[in-house]
Amino acid sequence: MNLLCTKYDIGELKQLEERYLFSEIEPKWQKKWDEQDIYKTREDSGKQKYYVLEMFPYPSGNLHMGHVRNYSIGDVVARFKVMQGYNVIHPMGWDAFGLPAENAAIQRGIHPADWTWSNIANMKRQLKSMGISYDWEREVATCHPDYYKWTQWLFIQFYKHGLVYKKKAPVNWCPSCATVLANEQVVEGRCERCESVVEKKDLEQWFFKITAYADRLLEDLEKLPGWPDKVKIMQHNWIGKSTGAEVTFKTEAGHDLTVFTTRPDTIFGVTYMVIAPEHPLVEELTKGTAEAERIKEFAKKVRQMSNIDRMATDMEKEGMFTGAYAINPLNQERVPIFVANYVLMEYGTGIVMGVPAHDQRDFEFARKYDLPVKVVVQPEGELLDGATMEQAFPAEGIMVNSGQFNGMNSDEALEKIIDYMEEKGIGRRQVNFRLRDWLISRQRYWGAPIPFVYCDKCGVIPVPEKDLPVLLPTDVEFRPGGDSPLTTSSSFMNTTCPECGGPATRETDTMDTFVDSSWYFLRYCDPKNESAPFAKDKADYWMNVDQYIGGVEHAILHLMYARFFTKVLYDMGMVSSEEPFQNLLTQGMVLKDGSKMSKSKGNVVSPEEIINQYGADTARLFILFAAPPERDLEWSDQGVEGCFRFLNRVWRLVYSYADRLARVEEGNQVSTKADKELRRLIHATVKKVTEDVGQRFNFNTAISAIMEMVNGLYQYRDNISEAEQNLPLVKNGLKHLVLLLAPFAPHIAEELWEALGGTGSVHLESWPKFDPSALEMDEVNIVVQVNGKVRDKLDVLRGISEEELKAKVLSEPKIAKHIEGKQIVKVISVPDKLINIVVK
Ligand code: ANZ
Ligand code: ZN
């Protein structure tokens, strides 16, 4: 409070001490923490490290409540671990490339860099006003050339290891803007700007070969016990490993029709074939027929649908007969070939054998187009009839209508049929993944340029490492439509070939921003390194991230890509661990009136306003108190008020004692029942908060325990006469209160710590330990006899067992001297009253 001394006289000051002036104390402590560098981290081999990481934000301009929640959770963990003696790294940075900056440039004529850097400055100010314990010296921004230089360098290493390639792939194309659109720019199939129907167009694109790591990405999920099951399940499904077979049918014209099936046991039940409408074979099959044009139209329509829609079970299945037939290689039956919307080009072979009796999608298709349904697997104890069944039977059963395989169990037949097909050269075992290679090309400006050049003589050549970074040019035009703005910069476009020195042009694609965020946690370990993305020894010291915290919306892509990067870097010998994130916490959403806060719903509460009105400590406390971290949290103005009142209550409690405690040494001797009760409360709260924060991240219950502790301290203050109050114990209680509150409400804790005579930052104090014996409260006074003579009286816990009581009694020196050198013949005890030891 010395801050106020210059402005007020002592009388006024006394009154002001009663008031909790967050707007004075919060900036004051933020400044001190900065000046004293208390969150600066360095490697220290003598200490166990702890890496706490929150997913870094996109610098949209302002913090939202989701951020506040994410970073408040991370800050509690970080501060708690520091107090527990760990060498904690807690960095922050900016996922700063991306489309909104470019839209701002088009709409408002601001350069994406200016827009981004000013947003970063504002959000950094807001983060600082929350009092979060970041080591700002480790700050990174992915749009800074010092960072994207290494993103480019990593791209080239991936290329050298055969993990980068180019191929034609469909992009969203707006025909009237004549430009490629990002997925986010396509709204209900239309261009966000001009509302024309978006088409798919094939363009040459860059890919990372993540499928080469599919098996490891799947298997290593088992090495992540600290991840939520739901996230692991999502990753598991995204990778989507299927085992089965590839089988080759022949068309009557002699074309190969190779299908992927997980159910080779049903091959005798095939009644038609389906090809994805955009499959190149379709043109050949229909060449010169009446169907050709109609099927082309149909294919065009289907290509506008997303794969997710095409796969949806409730989607209306539509198809067309191609006019062609195929021959089933197992029974030589002739079956019609269709195209249909439910078969995807990008999965398996893009061709499916239709088995309507055993696959629900095929069943619906067959009923719609009047195709036969042929049962080849019968459930035990039931007789299915293809003509009348109402849904497919997808389970295992007994083989029928399947030649030499009849009578077998279908699981067994599945293996036998593959063996048979392998023998005959018709098919073979095959594993398929749903995971696709990672398309990283973006036809946009505000991203890391892909470091390649095109030379007429030498081809597609990587930029030499010494020439990195390939800087984003500033002489570009941002206008709606047209190609990537990079193509408008002649200084960028025209370069020389690193191999032959002749004229060359630069690649104008930039990288998906998920590339930037796939390695930022490694850069934090060594953020200023100018000769490498990071030094291995530094990464080895800090990695893995012990606790990663972020939204569940990143459960699949970001986490998968970061895991992929880590595995590749491991294989290159750059890191020592194959997984980046040891433990993962996915926080729930912040809701208001039952739905996620969003501009369009008009239910947004601005963190900055809340902080101005109540202070950061209240905002943090509320958001941690209102729900367990994984759950969704409903915003409540009353809840915020309540937390504010609570902090005021803590404030007044401490100041009501501060003067009296000034010359009192902290202590924990107890004599009265009330003292014992208070001591028990102190230790029970320490125990509860330690366990709730350290083991379960149950911040809400930890805070309510602290609230109960405050109630107990008030009761003690108000119910015990001043003369009888045990001030050393009160001081001990208040200090514990402040220590426990410190990770949640760091500013008020610092101020009250000082008021209680603490020197140095409360955040550098050790986390308190509890004394188990202080938790025992319900005691009885027991008479201790030796050979029937009263020798002692002992306070012990009510209900203590004879065994425990005996051990305790024998360890008392007063008793021991009566027993020494003698033999115990018998112990007689009356529970909770008396124990008599008979010796000889
Ligand atoms: C015949 C069959 C019979 C099938 C049966 C299933 C059940 P998962 O498990 O997801 O890998 N399929 C194959 N390629 C496809 C594509 N490009 N688009 C849509 N569907 C495709 O699914 C594999 C099964 O999905 C394959 O096994 C195939 O249908 C279908 F009783 O073949 B099945
Ligand atoms: Zn060349």
Side-chain angles (χ1 to χ4, degrees):
M1 303 290 349
N2 39 16
L3 184 82
L4 301 172
C5 287
T6 50
K7 287 196 268 172
Y8 305 96
D9 69 28
I10 296 298
E12 268 174 311
L13 186 65
K14 188 82 203 95
Q15 279 182 328
L16 277 166
E17 280 186 349
E18 311 272 293
R19 289 182 55 209
Y20 165 43
L21 291 176
F22 61 85
S23 57
E24 309 246 353
I25 64 168
E26 291 187 351
K28 177 181 90 178
W29 287 109
Q30 286 156 17
K31 191 157 163 269
K32 283 203 180 173
W33 295 334
D34 255 3
E35 285 165 3
Q36 293 168 7
D37 269 343
I38 75 166
Y39 305 122
K40 199 160 139 178
T41 25
R42 52 183 73 76
E43 292 85 76
D44 176 352
S45 57
K47 261 184 165 182
Q48 208 180 332
K49 67 89 191 179
Y50 193 90
Y51 191 165
V52 194
L53 182 64
E54 296 114 52
M55 291 179 183
F56 66 166
Y58 177 74
S60 55
N62 282 291
L63 288 188
H64 57 64
M65 280 300 170
H67 294 131
V68 172
R69 189 172 194 196
N70 194 174
Y71 311 144
S72 298
I73 293 168
D75 200 40
V76 172
V77 176
R79 289 179 186 277
F80 176 72
K81 290 289 172 183
V82 169
M83 292 176 82
Q84 284 195 320
Y86 289 89
N87 188 25
V88 170
I89 184 174
H90 187 208
M92 182 38 82
W94 310 98
D95 189 11
F97 274 137
L99 200 57
E102 226 162 308
N103 287 340
I106 293 167
Q107 284 155 15
R108 290 183 264 156
I110 315 169
H111 191 276
D114 297 336
W115 185 84
T116 304
W117 288 112
S118 82
N119 286 348
I120 287 176
N122 190 49
M123 287 173 77
K124 187 169 175 179
R125 178 187 60 76
Q126 292 176 329
L127 277 179
K128 288 198 163 187
S129 79
M130 282 181 65
I132 301 187
S133 60
Y134 294 128
D135 176 359
W136 284 107
E137 287 191 14
R138 293 180 184 269
E139 179 180 7
V140 304
T142 57
C143 67
H144 197 290
D146 288 350
Y147 186 91
Y148 73 70
K149 168 180 178 174
W150 297 112
T151 306
Q152 292 172 337
W153 184 88
L154 287 167
F155 184 93
I156 288 172
Q157 308 314 306
F158 276 48
Y159 172 77
K160 288 181 176 166
H161 283 78
L163 294 168
V164 171
Y165 66 92
K166 265 187 104 172
K167 78 165 188 210
K168 271 214 159 99
V171 293
N172 303 308
W173 178 257
C174 173
S176 87
C177 299
T179 190
V180 174
L181 301 178
N183 286 336
E184 309 89 272
Q185 294 173 300
V186 182
V187 180
E188 289 174 1
R190 286 171 186 276
C191 171
E192 173 189 70
R193 283 197 290 258
C194 72
E195 303 205 342
S196 326
V197 174
V198 173
E199 295 173 358
K200 294 268 170 166
K201 187 174 161 179
D202 286 326
L203 276 191
E204 284 278 320
Q205 313 253 12
W206 293 90
F207 287 84
F208 278 154
K209 213 187 267 177
I210 190 173
T211 51
Y213 283 73
D215 256 323
R216 278 163 74 187
L217 288 166
L218 185 66
E219 276 164 24
D220 289 353
L221 287 173
E222 279 166 34
K223 296 183 191 160
L224 300 172
W227 280 38
D229 285 337
K230 64 168 185 213
V231 174
K232 286 189 280 188
I233 290 168
M234 282 190 266
Q235 295 231 336
H236 188 279
N237 293 343
W238 187 258
I239 296 167
K241 181 174 182 170
S242 292
T243 49
E246 272 186 9
V247 186
T248 302
F249 289 58
K250 285 225 185 285
T251 67
E252 284 181 319
H255 295 107
D256 279 353
L257 275 188
T258 301
V259 302
F260 170 69
T261 176
T262 48
R263 295 290 305 274
D265 54 316
T266 63
I267 190 161
F268 287 83
V270 173
T271 59
Y272 65 99
M273 307 288 286
V274 206
I275 311 185
E278 63 268 52
H279 199 291
L281 201 62
V282 174
E283 221 185 305
E284 279 190 54
L285 291 181
T286 57
K287 204 177 279 170
T289 68
E291 283 93 351
E293 274 314 303
R294 280 170 45 228
I295 288 183
K296 252 194 209 138
E297 280 305 306
F298 176 69
K300 225 172 162 182
K301 198 175 94 187
V302 172
R303 264 174 46 125
Q304 301 313 318
M305 297 175 67
S306 73
N307 281 353
I308 296 169
D309 287 343
R310 283 170 75 170
M311 293 294 287
T313 44
D314 57 354
M315 187 232 12
E316 180 67 25
K317 285 154 197 69
E318 272 188 82
M320 289 177 77
F321 179 42
T322 59
Y325 289 85
I327 304 298
N328 186 328
L330 264 85
N331 59 11
Q332 317 311 320
E333 271 177 28
R334 180 172 181 262
V335 291
I337 305 171
F338 279 71
V339 291
N341 57 359
Y342 74 95
V343 173
L344 303 181
M345 183 62 210
E346 293 88 8
Y347 187 66
T349 60
I351 309 175
V352 171
M353 60 186 214
V355 187
H358 304 292
D359 181 276
Q360 187 58 24
R361 290 174 303 173
D362 294 347
F363 181 83
E364 287 164 27
F365 190 80
R367 285 289 186 248
K368 179 164 177 180
Y369 293 98
D370 232 352
L371 294 158
V373 175
K374 181 181 169 195
V375 175
V376 291
V377 178
Q378 281 288 7
E380 242 158 312
E382 209 184 317
L383 209 67
L384 292 175
D385 176 359
T388 57
M389 59 199 285
E390 286 174 359
Q391 60 185 44
F393 172 68
E396 48 92 68
I398 303 300
M399 300 290 291
V400 295
N401 295 324
S402 298
Q404 70 263 45
F405 304 100
N406 283 344
M408 284 183 193
N409 177 284
S410 59
D411 286 345
E412 184 194 346
L414 189 148
E415 299 299 331
K416 291 260 157 67
I417 289 179
I418 304 180
D419 289 342
Y420 174 83
M421 294 193 300
E422 285 187 337
E423 230 177 80
K424 301 272 171 193
I426 304 165
R428 57 189 177 89
R429 284 192 165 70
Q430 171 73 19
V431 174
N432 250 332
F433 291 94
R434 201 156 285 284
L435 184 70
R436 297 283 75 125
D437 276 339
W438 177 9
L439 192 169
I440 61 138
S441 287
R442 296 291 179 274
Q443 289 74 37
R444 311 253 54 104
Y445 171 78
W446 194 231
I450 290 176
F452 270 77
V453 301
Y454 297 92
C455 169
D456 279 345
K457 259 201 272 169
C458 312
V460 190
I461 307 289
V463 173
E465 290 170 20
K466 66 171 175 41
D467 294 340
L468 298 179
V470 175
L471 286 172
L472 284 169
T474 49
D475 59 337
V476 293
E477 274 179 56
F478 297 98
R479 41 169 197 223
D483 285 330
S484 163
L486 283 174
T487 57
T488 67
S489 164
S490 55
S491 67
F492 178 83
M493 286 296 285
N494 301 314
T495 181
T496 49
C497 171
E499 307 241 311
C500 71
T505 54
R506 285 194 191 279
E507 170 62 62
T508 55
D509 283 356
T510 54
M511 292 183 225
D512 178 4
T513 59
F514 276 123
V515 180
D516 309 325
S517 55
S518 291
W519 71 281
Y520 76 112
F521 44 90
L522 289 161
R523 184 68 179 173
Y524 282 144
C525 299
D526 192 9
K528 307 220 159 67
N529 196 325
E530 288 178 4
S531 57
F534 53 87
K536 180 154 194 283
D537 58 333
K538 294 203 167 159
D540 281 351
Y541 178 78
W542 291 113
M543 288 296 284
N544 293 350
V545 172
D546 294 277
Q547 185 63 53
Y548 199 27
I549 306 163
V552 76
E553 65 275 16
H554 293 298
I556 297 179
L557 296 182
H558 163 59
L559 291 172
M560 185 81 73
Y561 295 150
R563 295 181 61 219
F564 165 59
F565 255 64
T566 304
K567 289 182 192 306
V568 173
L569 296 178
Y570 172 84
D571 291 348
M572 292 178 186
M574 290 180 64
V575 297
S576 299
S577 167
E578 289 192 72
E579 285 289 336
F581 311 126
Q582 205 63 46
N583 296 290
L584 173 71
L585 180 104
T586 49
Q587 101 238 11
M589 288 186 294
V590 184
L591 314 176
K592 179 139 192 288
D593 311 322
S595 52
K596 187 177 175 178
M597 284 187 185
S598 76
K599 280 206 191 95
S600 59
K601 290 218 180 67
N603 62 348
V604 175
V605 179
S606 137
E608 187 144 16
E609 277 171 31
I610 295 295
I611 291 172
N612 288 339
Q613 201 177 341
Y614 296 99
D617 283 344
T618 294
R620 296 167 53 124
L621 197 70
F622 165 73
I623 217 145
L624 294 163
F625 179 54
E630 293 92 348
R631 299 269 188 81
D632 288 348
L633 176 160
E634 175 68 31
W635 183 264
S636 152
D637 294 332
Q638 294 94 306
V640 178
E641 277 284 345
C643 287
F644 183 62
R645 276 200 306 274
F646 168 70
L647 289 182
N648 275 280
R649 226 167 115 70
V650 174
W651 180 274
R652 288 194 307 268
L653 175 68
V654 171
Y655 277 103
S656 71
Y657 275 114
D659 283 348
R660 272 186 288 162
L661 296 182
R663 269 168 298 278
V664 173
E665 283 289 323
E666 174 183 2
N668 58 11
Q669 295 303 311
V670 291
S671 45
T672 67
K673 184 149 181 296
D675 286 0
K676 268 190 208 160
E677 193 69 68
L678 180 58
R679 191 178 66 177
R680 190 202 58 83
L681 178 65
I682 296 167
H683 289 264
T685 312
V686 171
K687 177 172 193 281
K688 172 101 178 115
V689 174
T690 307
E691 290 170 358
D692 281 354
V693 174
Q695 293 165 19
R696 300 182 276 267
F697 297 142
N698 278 349
F699 307 124
N700 56 327
T701 53
I703 292 168
S704 65
I706 296 173
M707 290 174 169
E708 278 170 34
M709 181 183 187
V710 170
N711 289 343
L713 283 158
Y714 265 102
Q715 272 167 22
Y716 187 89
R717 188 192 74 175
D718 298 339
N719 295 342
I720 311 290
S721 73
E722 276 204 31
E724 278 177 64
Q725 288 189 21
N726 179 340
L727 290 180
L729 182 66
V730 168
K731 188 161 189 173
N732 179 266
L734 293 176
K735 283 187 124 177
H736 277 81
L737 166 65
V738 171
L739 288 166
L740 295 180
L741 198 57
F744 302 96
H747 310 87
I748 191 173
E750 199 76 294
E751 186 74 23
L752 296 179
W753 184 250
E754 192 179 72
L756 288 169
T759 51
S761 171
V762 68
H763 301 293
L764 303 179
E765 289 291 317
S766 292
W767 187 253
K769 292 202 165 47
F770 65 92
D771 173 1
S773 71
L775 300 176
E776 299 164 0
M777 246 323 275
D778 195 5
E779 289 179 341
V780 283
N781 196 254
I782 287 200
V783 174
V784 184
Q785 300 176 333
V786 178
N787 288 344
K789 267 200 191 129
V790 177
R791 295 293 183 190
D792 201 357
K793 284 183 178 175
L794 276 182
D795 275 337
V796 298
L797 211 60
R798 187 186 295 280
I800 190 170
S801 70
E802 192 185 86
E803 279 296 272
E804 273 180 86
L805 181 60
K806 185 178 151 194
K808 200 173 165 80
V809 165
L810 293 180
S811 69
E812 287 294 322
K814 265 195 192 166
I815 305 297
K817 74 174 185 224
H818 294 288
I819 293 177
E820 222 175 347
K822 294 180 183 146
Q823 194 196 344
I824 299 173
V825 278
K826 206 151 115 191
V827 175
I828 305 158
S829 75
V830 183
D832 291 340
K833 291 218 162 63
L834 173 146
I835 182 163
N836 181 17
I837 296 169
V838 183
V839 292
K840 175 168 95 180

